[in-house]
Amino acid sequence: METSAVLDIAVQALWVSAKLAAPVLITALVVGFAISVLQSITQIQEITLSFVPKAAAVGIVLLVSGHWMITEMISFTHAMFDMIPALIGGG
């Protein structure tokens, strides 16, 4: 297996993982920022006030985008399995 093939697979894997993590991370970031602003305005410093809404928002995002995430992972996995003969054969 050539180094260019390994690098190509690594880049594809990183790109897919970034695409799959983005909805969850962006949601947690936005909700966390909104709760932080609310906490600083009201001066309420409860840890559960930041954790519970973030957990609920992430759960909702996983429910909404879960099918797309699974489809992307299956597509990537099929592409990797389809590449096996070319990688073993060297061509």
Side-chain angles (χ1 to χ4, degrees):
M1 186 177 343
E2 299 177 12
T3 52
S4 63
V6 173
L7 289 175
D8 185 45
I9 291 171
V11 167
Q12 288 178 3
L14 288 173
W15 183 248
V16 169
S17 64
K19 281 193 330 187
L20 294 179
V24 175
L25 293 176
I26 291 171
T27 302
L29 177 72
V30 169
V31 171
F33 181 72
I35 296 298
S36 294
V37 169
L38 179 71
Q39 282 182 328
S40 66
I41 290 171
T42 61
Q43 294 183 355
I44 299 173
Q45 298 300 322
E46 283 291 321
I47 191 68
T48 56
L49 187 61
S50 66
F51 177 75
V52 173
K54 260 198 271 189
V58 166
I60 290 170
V61 167
L62 286 174
L63 284 174
V64 170
S65 63
H67 179 70
W68 169 76
M69 290 178 170
I70 290 173
T71 304
E72 286 290 318
M73 248 347 260
I74 290 172
S75 171
F76 177 72
T77 304
H78 282 285
M80 289 298 110
F81 277 121
D82 290 342
M83 288 176 64
I84 290 175
L87 293 174
I88 292 175

